[in-house]
Amino acid sequence: KKKDKKDNKKPSSSVIDQTSAPDNQGANQGNNIQQGDPGGQTPIMPATATEYTTSPIEYSLINSGDLVLVNSQYEYKFPANDIKLVDVYSNRNDCYSVSDMTVSLDVNVIAKINAMMTDYYTNVQNNYLRIIGGHRTKEEQNDKYQNGVSNILGGYSDYHTGRSFKLGIFPKGESSNIYKPEGQYAWIDQNCANYGFVVRYPAGKESVTGDDSSTAIFRYVGVPHSVYMKENNLCLEEYIEAIKSYYCN
């Protein structure tokens, strides 16, 4: 089975040892959505070894959490209480839009998106970015597969995690397109790691992710993981392998 074009992916779910991840941009803890305070661009600060701690994780939890890996080899297990889905439309701020009222993501992920988009708007002064894809159920993914819209079977899409979303650009009076890090829109690609996001399918990593590259699909993994991945040019699969090399007594 292959992947969705730009929107197609076969994800897999296998989570590895997770290190502690401090919250970013003052986004709220827990399940309360925070709109985010305008704060301007936050520079990516290089991490040092002293900023990291190694934390053990129970084996029963490896199929859940912000670092859960879903691709053509690892199926998402839909563990109970892994995510709290809410619709983006009702919980977003005015700094971006969403394609319809049914697109949903994990509540914590939306909080981080709100913080990122607030700072994006403060720096760039446009609200033309739009979330055009989010969480999918196994049944929804299977429908796409059976209808030829996707080459990914249900259970193997990263969208199942509620932490991945697809971004589009919808400028007023102009043609729309999927997100590309060009011109003023490059701010998102350059700064998303500060808010816990990474490009899920970066160019040059196709043989590792097992999917076509896409500049428009982002995945929440949390800080400091996102910062480390960006600084070291790692996709999620590579980062998970790197984590495996650390042994916690």
Side-chain angles (χ1 to χ4, degrees), residues 54-235:
T54 303
S55 303
I57 182 172
E58 293 182 20
Y59 183 78
S60 61
L61 299 178
I62 66 171
N63 291 312
S64 62
D66 292 332
L67 291 181
V68 64
L69 179 62
V70 182
N71 59 30
S72 59
Q73 297 180 17
Y74 297 101
E75 182 180 9
Y76 187 60
K77 303 298 183 182
F78 297 92
N81 303 316
D82 181 36
I83 53 176
K84 180 180 179 180
L85 291 172
V86 296
D87 71 276
V88 177
Y89 183 84
S90 300
N91 295 283
R92 67 182 176 85
N93 58 30
D94 295 330
C95 299
Y96 65 105
S97 60
V98 61
S99 57
D100 59 59
M101 300 177 68
T102 64
V103 176
S104 61
L105 290 168
D106 178 63
V107 65
N108 181 58
V109 173
I110 298 177
K112 303 303 188 296
I113 293 175
N114 285 343
M116 178 173 69
M117 292 301 190
T118 295
D119 287 347
Y120 167 77
Y121 183 82
T122 299
N123 281 271
V124 177
Q125 293 295 303
N126 80 52
N127 59 355
Y128 301 153
L129 294 178
R130 179 176 298 179
I131 292 180
I132 57 177
H135 176 265
R136 294 177 188 172
T137 65
K138 187 173 184 178
E139 293 70 27
E140 288 171 337
Q141 186 62 41
N142 275 328
D143 285 344
K144 290 180 178 294
Y145 176 79
Q146 293 168 3
N147 293 328
V149 177
S150 171
N151 292 320
I152 302 171
L153 277 172
Y156 295 91
S157 171
D158 203 55
Y159 287 116
H160 293 327
T161 69
R163 299 173 175 91
S164 283
F165 63 93
K166 188 172 186 179
L167 203 58
I169 300 174
F170 287 73
K172 295 179 181 179
E174 300 178 30
S175 59
S176 60
N177 205 338
I178 61 170
Y179 173 81
K180 296 179 181 178
E182 300 172 348
Q184 59 188 350
Y185 304 110
W187 190 98
I188 294 293
D189 183 74
Q190 294 166 357
N191 293 276
C192 66
N194 297 324
Y195 305 84
F197 296 100
V198 295
V199 175
R200 181 61 184 91
Y201 303 97
K205 304 289 186 178
E206 294 86 347
S207 63
V208 183
T209 64
D211 208 337
D212 294 331
S213 64
S214 173
T215 58
I217 300 172
F218 293 83
R219 163 67 187 267
Y220 182 76
V221 295
V223 175
H225 313 295
S226 55
V227 175
Y228 186 92
M229 290 169 66
K230 184 173 183 62
E231 289 180 345
N232 293 277
N233 190 31
L234 300 177
C235 63

Side-chain angles (χ1 to χ4, degrees), residues 20-73:
S20 61
D23 247 345
N24 187 58
Q25 289 306 119
N28 64 322
Q29 305 278 343
N31 293 331
N32 296 318
I33 294 290
Q34 175 173 310
Q35 300 305 317
D37 298 320
Q41 179 172 338
T42 302
I44 296 177
M45 301 301 291
T48 65
T50 58
E51 294 176 35
Y52 292 88
T53 60
T54 303
S55 303
I57 182 172
E58 293 182 20
Y59 183 78
S60 61
L61 299 178
I62 66 171
N63 291 312
S64 62
D66 292 332
L67 291 181
V68 64
L69 179 62
V70 182
N71 59 30
S72 59
Q73 297 180 17

